[in-house]
Amino acid sequence: MLSTESEIETRPNLLVPLHEHPLSCTEEFIYSCDFCNSRNGIAYQCTECGYRLHKDCIQGFLSYPSPCGHSLKISMPNKSPQYANDRCHFCLCKLKTPFARCTVCNINISPLCMVKQPPLTICKPKHHKHSLTLLVRLVIFTCNACGVEGDRNPYVCLQCNLMVHKDCIENLPRVICINRHDHRIFHTFHLGQREEHWECGVCRKTVDWVYGAFKCSRCPNYAVHSRCATKKEVWDGIELEDVPEEEEEVEEPFVVINEKEIIHFSHEEHVLRLDENYVTDNVNMRCRGCVLAINGDSCYKCVECDYILHKACASLPRKKRHLLHNHKLTLQVDEAASSDFVCTACRTYSNGFRYKCFEGCEDDVVYDVRCSSVSEPFQHDLHPHPLYWTLESSKRCQACGTETDANLLNCTVCDDYALCMKCATLPRKVKHRCDDHFLSLCQGVGNASGNLWCDICETKTDPNVCYYTCEECGLSLHLNCVLGDFYYVKVIPDQPKVFANNGVTRLFCGVCEVRCKFPFIMWGAVGDFTGYVCSINCVFPKADK
């Protein structure tokens, strides 16, 4: 039996399980207990190693059960045997104060973990029908709930031969909805074997069918790693177990009048008529949704005014889930002067249609139509393999050469190939005043000999990054020279703000004091300045002055 309080007070020399030497009692008030380092009180001191402990600290230590069932001793930092580590077995914190040690299991336990010990048995686990028992030891195992390897303290079910992380028992949801899939997915401890390997719907790597994962009851081939499905970029954090699944009422973006005509909710005052092959040289006639040129694509054109929408933009859903955000997004179409925004994904300036989050996110989350239309697998003209948003970080975009750690579309075949969202959503073909033909995206020197030159700014073009070219004329133009910063800002007749820079003479920027080389230029009041501004870099420095 352990010593009682009365025995501690009366015995001059005390031998307790927490120390290998006898402790002698002193009635003096000490100022530095080796265990608590703070309180004054009656102390016991080891004459051999100078160890000093309050009586209350001894009693408190002896009152806690040993999580491994063996007698524990108090050890000092930097005085443990060479074969022992300096971290707590449970929380893995670095031990800087006296701690408990089991010499049988070769483990250390911090004072905080002695007070807040994990339960030895979980009787009614959320995910399993049997009780789970804690195995306090260093042991390499693969968690049957998430399929990730652990190195200590699994909870085991002897009846089912399962070993599970404590975090998975406490935090792994049962039924969830993620932004990569239209249906709910549920967790299972055993994915099941099939002829083809299971591919994770997030990271696109193989899912081991022996261990747990999330799967869809409606789509038999869809599965997601447990850790991938519960990432904050994928899941909104809401557990849907016992929540009835109701069919959401879909609000259509337009009302059908006949086979060719519709009334779109963004332009309810007039009828829009379908044109299968609309072609115009008017640079101001661009889609009010994505703010890109029509270029012969199918579109809906207003029968009374110049309002025009791509057929695809007219069909955009009013609400949608998207891989870029873990909440449902709502389509915004207003054209007020205050509707300008910067896309959260590609960081481009626009005033077209956009999808916005209204679920209480701290930051203003808004995506333009181009980024919010990206889906998996994503095919791009510059790469032969499909691209996926696999949440990998810190890669170099192969189109612009920029190192980035967010919003990357990755190739699962070529490990080093990735595109940032800005480059992935560049217009595949554009028209520019410097050439009569369509310009297309290109990378590399192709059949050219010597250096590549941009005809707009008259400087060299780097073939290692993406640029626009004319296959017939051999032009090589910088992306920024062709597009500029205001390419995705629509020209609204009753709200003149951005103008086409297509006059005989290039317009003069009042900030950088050079003639604007870009296809569109802004007019506005910035601070005490009113006039033409050619780029975002010119807007904000002027606003700061």
Side-chain angles (χ1 to χ4, degrees), residues 393-417:
S393 60
S394 188
K395 275 190 174 182
R396 186 172 64 89
C397 173
Q398 296 297 314
C400 64
T402 304
E403 190 82 18
T404 182
D405 59 355
N407 300 323
L408 280 170
L409 289 164
N410 297 279
C411 178
T412 57
V413 179
C414 311
D415 291 337
D416 61 343
Y417 193 89

Side-chain angles (χ1 to χ4, degrees), residues 283-288 291-293 308 486-487 489-490 520:
V283 294
N284 294 332
M285 288 293 290
R286 292 190 291 166
C287 174
R288 294 294 184 96
V291 203
L292 296 180
I308 190 169
F486 305 126
Y487 189 82
V489 180
K490 55 192 172 186
F520 294 93

Side-chain angles (χ1 to χ4, degrees), residues 393-460:
S393 60
S394 188
K395 275 190 174 182
R396 186 172 64 89
C397 173
Q398 296 297 314
C400 64
T402 304
E403 190 82 18
T404 182
D405 59 355
N407 300 323
L408 280 170
L409 289 164
N410 297 279
C411 178
T412 57
V413 179
C414 311
D415 291 337
D416 61 343
Y417 193 89
L419 289 180
C420 67
M421 289 299 292
K422 184 174 183 178
C423 293
T425 57
L426 287 170
R428 306 294 175 89
K429 59 178 183 178
V430 297
K431 287 294 293 271
H432 194 274
R433 62 183 298 184
C434 68
D435 196 279
D436 294 331
H437 309 109
F438 278 113
L439 305 176
S440 58
L441 288 172
C442 184
Q443 193 168 13
V445 295
N447 298 324
S449 58
N451 295 324
L452 302 179
W453 288 83
C454 175
D455 286 5
I456 299 175
C457 66
E458 298 180 349
T459 61
K460 288 184 180 180

Side-chain angles (χ1 to χ4, degrees), residues 256-519:
V256 177
I257 305 300
N258 53 52
E259 291 183 358
K260 292 285 188 177
E261 295 180 331
I262 64 170
I263 296 179
H264 196 270
F265 84 103
S266 66
H267 194 67
E268 295 178 329
E269 59 269 29
H270 299 147
V271 173
L272 304 182
R273 182 173 295 155
L274 180 64
D275 191 326
E276 300 285 356
N277 190 25
Y278 181 74
V279 178
T280 178
D281 293 330
N282 186 352
V283 294
N284 294 332
M285 288 293 290
R286 292 190 291 166
C287 174
R288 294 294 184 96
C290 64
V291 203
L292 296 180
I294 302 300
N295 290 338
D297 302 319
S298 297
C299 66
Y300 282 101
K301 189 177 184 303
C302 182
V303 297
E304 298 187 37
C305 64
D306 61 357
Y307 195 90
I308 190 169
L309 284 175
H310 282 115
K311 184 178 181 180
C313 293
S315 303
L316 291 170
R318 302 282 294 268
K319 292 181 180 293
K320 68 184 294 186
R321 289 188 179 275
H322 194 265
L323 54 84
L324 287 172
H325 193 59
N326 58 6
H327 295 139
K328 185 163 285 190
L329 303 172
T330 301
L331 182 62
Q332 299 277 285
V333 299
D334 60 287
E335 294 187 334
S338 60
S339 63
D340 298 2
F341 66 94
V342 175
C343 176
T344 304
C346 66
R347 308 307 302 170
T348 56
Y349 182 70
S350 180
N351 64 350
F353 289 4
R354 64 260 180 219
Y355 279 95
K356 190 171 182 178
C357 176
F358 291 96
E359 299 292 332
C361 292
E362 294 183 1
D363 298 325
D364 192 20
V365 177
V366 57
Y367 301 102
D368 60 29
V369 167
R370 296 171 298 107
C371 290
S372 56
S373 298
V374 170
S375 60
E376 297 177 317
F378 182 78
Q379 302 288 345
H380 198 279
D381 298 342
L382 296 180
H383 195 66
H385 308 132
L387 305 178
Y388 300 90
W389 198 50
T390 58
L391 303 180
E392 295 180 53
S393 60
S394 188
K395 275 190 174 182
R396 186 172 64 89
C397 173
Q398 296 297 314
C400 64
T402 304
E403 190 82 18
T404 182
D405 59 355
N407 300 323
L408 280 170
L409 289 164
N410 297 279
C411 178
T412 57
V413 179
C414 311
D415 291 337
D416 61 343
Y417 193 89
L419 289 180
C420 67
M421 289 299 292
K422 184 174 183 178
C423 293
T425 57
L426 287 170
R428 306 294 175 89
K429 59 178 183 178
V430 297
K431 287 294 293 271
H432 194 274
R433 62 183 298 184
C434 68
D435 196 279
D436 294 331
H437 309 109
F438 278 113
L439 305 176
S440 58
L441 288 172
C442 184
Q443 193 168 13
V445 295
N447 298 324
S449 58
N451 295 324
L452 302 179
W453 288 83
C454 175
D455 286 5
I456 299 175
C457 66
E458 298 180 349
T459 61
K460 288 184 180 180
T461 301
D462 185 359
N464 294 316
V465 298
C466 194
Y467 59 92
Y468 279 109
T469 185
C470 174
E471 296 179 357
E472 297 185 39
C473 304
L475 295 179
S476 56
L477 308 175
H478 295 124
L479 297 177
N480 194 45
C481 291
V482 173
L483 302 178
D485 286 344
F486 305 126
Y487 189 82
Y488 303 110
V489 180
K490 55 192 172 186
V491 180
I492 304 174
D494 57 343
Q495 299 176 20
K497 185 175 183 179
V498 172
F499 299 87
N501 186 20
N502 57 357
V504 177
T505 304
R506 291 177 177 177
L507 294 173
F508 193 78
C509 175
V511 178
C512 62
E513 299 181 346
V514 298
R515 297 203 175 274
C516 178
K517 63 183 178 182
F518 305 121

